[in-house]
DNA sequence: AGAAGAAATTAACCCAGGTTAATTTTGAGA
DNA sequence: TCTCAAAATTAACCTGGGTTAATTTCTTCT
């Protein structure tokens, strides 16, 4: 695996946002980990203390309730930072796991030493704020659709938002993203077909 | 209205988080606005370009769907920064309005000039990141309860989280926070009473 | 290609919450 | 204190999605 290439990709991801980051701290402690389709980067309940960067591939964020039902919170496509902001920051266990939807290449850095060094860097802080803002906006938009739209509308939106996933991942996972059962999704699809 | 006092309160809010902020930029352009119970700080659809600090009082974030149904996204209690992160950052219209649940005292600064000056300040950026993290964590927790819990459970959680609001605000607003109708909430309350 | 397990569909039944509307309670202003 | 409008309750009925279970595809492995 070409370490230099991955690192360059990670830096490029920040650079293209137009922030001026001092990368001198970035030389060591990077870790490369390929994960295969279906495998988990980390499981719900694990402690997460690394910053993950999804170099290639797609993943989903999935949480499981006490009664064993799984819920897909969101999907993420490379190149992107992934992970549990909440768990990493608070140093607590993750409320969800991250599962690969296809073979992925992921690089990571130990969060705390990374952040402690990078917080010296104004460019990084701005970039980090910007990143938080982006995921926050996404959450706000998802919340609003959740309350206002029917499951059918949400399914149609999903098809528009993730055309590449629509026929690629199991319907169970789509259903769990819409927060309905596979049975209900099947009914909705049939209803739509008849029109 | 004691301007110096309000400004001190605002600074204290940041200072107590332990960040070292250079306040030299803060001298002018502060605006004080009292709003009375029931009034809106801003309405959904308005452009928001100020940073608001709720000095005293309580507010709710409320959005209205095309079909005229209102949904209370969350409540906020002073002292706190309030506003639409999304709208302020993107410079777009707010997806929700902010309404006073009681008489409030609010101070504000023009966001863009504020942020442009403050981004020079590492202490501020860290503080801002921290703030984003906090509201993000809250959103993540609310999302998870939404999917996993029944309306009854969510009502009971509400009573624990906001004991001071439970008997103070109209039930319609509580219902809209739980994302059910007032009728459904009434039924839930009755069901609980019978036990 | 065949077997076995997983995923998806279909059907039957149930229930929480929505809808509408009538009735009672609450509360703010004269 | 009385009045009138808004808020809350209650009742009757409806519907979308949950649940369970039987049946039919898809996959994948040998």
């Amino acid at each position: 695996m070409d370490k230099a290439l991955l690192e360059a990709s990670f830096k490029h991801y920040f650079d293209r946002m137009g922030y001026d980051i001092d990368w001198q701290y970035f030389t060591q402690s990077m870790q490369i980990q390929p994960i295969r389709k279906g495998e988990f980067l980390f499981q719900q309940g694990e402690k997460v203390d690394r910053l993950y960067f999804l170099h290639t591939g797609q993943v989903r964020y999935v949480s499981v309730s006490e009664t064993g039902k799984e819920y897909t919170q969101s999907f993420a496509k490379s190149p992107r930072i992934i992970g549990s902001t909440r768990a990493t920051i608070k140093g607590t266990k993750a409320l969800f796991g991250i599962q690969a939807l296809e073979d992925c290449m992921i690089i990571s850095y130990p969060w705390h030493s990374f952040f402690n060094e990078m917080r010296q860097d104004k460019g990084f802080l701005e970039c980090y704020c910007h990143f938080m803002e982006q995921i926050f906006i996404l959450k706000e938009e998802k919340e609003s659709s959740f309350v206002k739209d029917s499951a059918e509308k949400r399914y149609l939106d999903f098809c528009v938002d993730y055309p590449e996933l629509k026929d690629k991942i199991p319907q169970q996972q789509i259903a769990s993203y819409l927060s309905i059962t596979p049975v209900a999704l099947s009914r909705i699809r049939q209803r739509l077909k008849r029109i």
Side-chain angles (χ1 to χ4, degrees), chain A:
Chain A
M1 229 330 93
D2 187 344
K3 195 173 145 153
L5 185 87
L6 290 178
E7 190 148 1
S9 159
F10 180 63
K11 292 179 184 175
H12 178 70
Y13 174 71
F14 282 93
D15 288 346
R16 71 182 310 179
M17 292 184 202
Y19 296 103
D20 182 26
I21 297 179
D22 179 353
W23 292 106
Q24 63 172 304
Y25 304 112
F26 255 104
T27 41
Q28 53 266 68
S29 75
M30 181 179 87
Q31 186 180 303
I32 298 176
Q33 78 200 88
I35 56 177
R36 329 208 77 227
K37 179 174 174 174
E39 284 178 1
F40 280 80
L41 174 60
F42 56 79
Q43 295 267 3
Q44 174 175 4
E46 284 180 25
K47 276 213 175 182
V48 182
D49 52 11
R50 300 186 72 79
L51 169 75
Y52 298 101
F53 175 69
L54 178 62
H55 173 252
T56 50
Q58 291 195 64
V59 299
R60 69 178 183 130
Y61 291 42
V62 51
S63 65
V64 182
S65 73
E66 308 83 57
T67 60
K69 257 157 252 168
E70 68 169 52
Y71 167 58
T72 299
Q73 294 188 6
S74 59
F75 301 101
K77 182 161 40 171
S78 64
R80 235 200 74 166
I81 299 280
I82 56 175
S84 169
T85 311
R86 180 182 164 284
T88 311
I89 291 162
K90 291 175 94 172
T92 59
K93 295 169 178 181
L95 287 179
F96 53 80
I98 291 188
Q99 185 183 32
L101 296 175
E102 61 191 20
D103 293 356
C104 295
M105 187 58 63
I106 289 169
I107 64 183
S108 67
Y109 299 84
W111 169 255
H112 288 288
S113 60
F114 175 81
F115 188 74
N116 275 332
E117 295 193 85
M118 292 308 278
R119 72 195 292 176
Q120 307 305 326
D121 190 281
K122 200 163 63 60
F124 170 75
L125 273 182
E126 280 187 50
C127 184
Y128 179 63
C129 286
H130 184 74
F131 171 68
M132 296 286 302
E133 288 165 355
Q134 293 309 309
I135 51 180
F136 183 76
I137 287 168
L138 282 182
K139 269 235 180 310
E140 197 158 283
E141 283 163 359
K142 190 174 181 200
E143 175 185 18
S144 126
S145 100
F146 217 98
V147 168
K148 290 178 179 167
D149 303 334
S150 67
E152 181 171 316
K153 173 75 166 27
R154 273 163 23 233
Y155 174 63
L156 292 170
D157 287 346
F158 165 82
C159 293
V160 172
D161 293 342
Y162 301 97
E164 77 282 10
L165 291 180
K166 176 179 173 325
D167 296 308
K168 180 176 164 186
I169 65 176
Q171 275 184 49
Q172 302 178 77
Q173 295 183 3
I174 301 179
S176 87
Y177 175 71
L178 304 174
S179 181
I180 56 178
T181 59
V183 179
L185 176 55
S186 180
R187 274 192 297 239
I188 288 173
R189 281 160 54 86
Q190 188 186 332
R191 206 185 306 147
L192 290 173
K193 238 180 291 171
R194 268 196 278 99
I195 315 173

